[in-house]
Amino acid sequence: MTSDPGLQPTVHELDVCLRAPVTVLSARDGAVHGQGAEGVFCGDVRALSVVEVTVAGRRPDGIGGGSTGTGTSRHVAVLRGLGDPGPDPTIRLETVRRLADDGLGETLRLVSSAADPLEAEVVLTLATDLATVEEVKSGQVRPLVAPDGEGWAGRGVVVAVPGLETVGEHGRLSWTVVVPPRGAVEVDWSVRVVDPGGVTAAPRTASSWSTPRVTCDDSRLAPLVEQSLEDLAGLRMATTTEPEDVFAAAGAPWYLTLFGRDSLWTARLLLPLGTGLAAGTLRTLAARQGTRRDDATGEEPGKILHEIRRPPVAEEGVTPFLPPVYFGTVDATPLWVCLLHDAWRWGLDPAVVTELLDPLERALEWLAADADPDGDGFLEYLDRTGTGLANQGWKDSHDSVRFADGRIAEGPIALCEAQAYAHEAALGGAALLDAFGRPGADRWRSWAADLRERFRGAFWVGDDEGRYPAIALDGAKAPVDAPASNMGHLLGTGLLDGEESAAVAARLGSPAMDSGFGLRTMATTAGGYGPLTYHCGSVWPHDTAIAMTGLAREGHAAQAGSLARGLLAAGESFDRRMPELFAGDAATEVRRALAYPASCRPQAWSAAASVAVLTAVIGLRPDVPAGRLEVAPLRPAPLGAVRVEGLRIGSDEVTVAVSATGEVSVEGWSGELVTG
């Protein structure tokens, strides 16, 4: 892999070792060569951009290895030309990497099968540019920073390496070792990063969810869930100001921080494994809920933020892409309300819900006030600064909202899924207000009913295949009519009636939308379609999971089952570590899904998609406050028989088994059981 200044570096071929806030992106041999996105990152800063080993002046040749668990990896390389003569390598280097809360430690182990001892100098070369993640992502090239004593200092951080020697712009550690015949020798080194300006940190508590035991006729499901939960464990994070509240960072390497919609969706999809992650996510975001109006940051009273970043260090010529605390999102606020409601239904402690009722009311007020600046009854957005995100839904690239002929829509933009989230939030918020003795529930139910009717009159369009909801309304209130996956987010929100739901299901199940590896973000029939566009034809696992969940909830088993099988095929394509997104090429044309080269991997909501598959196929619908659990599996069973042990529903640990013919068995649930 080579670097190309000015282009976003590719990451799909890199090895990723992750334990937030520390990430190591290395070549397959474990080395960091100073190219592209390679590096040891701590939070938003690249602490080391070069980590290379030589033995007796020779570079090792990698032969395999990679992640061995959350925050650990092992790589094996051979040292040809050392040891016994002949074609077979007899000296190998094993690199065992262990990430810590603020850095890493490594053991370099030389192993010999040679007949004679080997005396050699082991040299570790280190360097850093102290680049920010934004700079790395944009392809900027920064000069190396010269070491200062046993490490580096600059841009507000200190990178400490005990025993480091300075050699020009590089640092060096060296050891003279003797490897005995058919024996081994080890050396250790470590790096620690001190970043007083950091806003995120490693969590203080253990895992926020249960680890289910999955048995399935489709052998792809259980290992996908296992790897996904390992990836999610690496993405667990807290803020420095609320260290006890854990959330899932969006993804590595580009988005290893708190993101409103990403963290909310991840917690929502993981509710079958417990409400702890939901509670931490809700509280962390509520602590930063908007209180004033600020065009520069997008903040508004009651609004939930988009993302937080490390504040930039004042340097000439360095300008962050977005403010460190940025609110440019139209959907995080209703999604916050939806998560609070769903977590309550899954058994979130009523004391936690009570604590969040004031932020709930402020979030609901935002829906009817600042979210609708022109008063037409729809949520919409417009970046007033010209420096923020042009699009502020989950498809936040500049060209994601297009007409069927390929034209890019001009704002203000009212996204279809934002209306659906708001409708669901209003109903869920009303249910919470009633349940906890707060006034105002009737107002929000009426507001939701009005929104439903307005949506029906404004968003529906048609083509030769039938009617479907437009992706958005543009600034002139014209429907933006490219068939897009956004319509899948309307299912299960109560916004659609039965006939409308069936029309959406038919469109999502068409060959133009269902790639066989998941749902395309835009139909192949649209003028803006491209299989490797970020939001106009690629496949995003979380997007597929949301649509699949809605399809299952509304009884469209065939389409839901097809998307579930597609996600399993995609997982198999990427060794069960789900990327942020991948190419939209059809499974009938390629055996394995094709990578999107700059995709985060792992990505939190992509990893959570595997749990969504479980929820959809067995049809879990709890109402813990009412003491009721409904299990309505997909029929016919798209993955065959499924058994899941270790689900958390309220205070119960529940086992659900569904046979290949749809018979349901539930163990451990203490309330009323309804099977559908």
Side-chain angles (χ1 to χ4, degrees), residues 238-253:
T239 62
T240 54
T241 50
E242 289 84 31
E244 302 301 327
D245 289 328
V246 177
F247 59 89

Side-chain angles (χ1 to χ4, degrees), residues 17 22 33 75 103 223 237 255 348 371 385 388 418 453 615 669 674:
C17 185
V22 180
H33 300 293
H75 298 270
M237 247 188 177
Y255 310 121
L348 181 62
T385 67
E453 289 307 307
T615 309
W669 170 242
V674 178

Side-chain angles (χ1 to χ4, degrees), residues 42 45 102 153-159 192-200 240-241 310-311 313:
C42 189
V45 177
D102 57 358
R155 308 193 86 186
V157 303
V158 174
V159 181
R192 180 170 181 260
V193 182
V194 179
D195 182 6
V199 293
T200 56
T240 54
T241 50
R310 182 184 185 278
V313 177

Side-chain angles (χ1 to χ4, degrees), residues 27 112 132 144 178 400 404 473 500 504 517 527 548 594 632:
S112 172
T132 67
L144 294 179
V178 177
S400 62
L473 304 182
E500 292 164 341
V504 169
F517 293 116
M548 174 194 65
L594 302 178

Side-chain angles (χ1 to χ4, degrees), residues 34-92:
Q35 297 179 331
E38 293 180 8
V40 176
F41 294 83
C42 189
D44 281 344
V45 177
R46 179 156 60 185
L48 292 173
S49 54
V50 174
V51 182
E52 295 182 319
V53 178
T54 60
V55 179
R58 297 177 182 269
R59 291 180 179 272
D61 292 320
I63 60 172
S67 175
T68 55
T70 301
T72 62
S73 66
R74 180 175 179 269
H75 298 270
V76 179
V78 296
L79 289 147
R80 296 186 293 171
L82 297 181
D84 289 348
D88 296 334
T90 57
I91 305 293
R92 61 193 250 164

Side-chain angles (χ1 to χ4, degrees), residues 627-629 652 669-673:
R628 186 172 184 269
L629 172 65
D652 294 340
W669 170 242
S670 57
E672 176 190 0
L673 176 65

Side-chain angles (χ1 to χ4, degrees), residues 33 176 209 219 224 295 341 399 407 459 523 571:
H33 300 293
T176 299
W209 53 78
S219 61
L224 177 62
D295 283 351
H341 171 263
D399 60 349
R407 287 178 295 127
F459 274 82

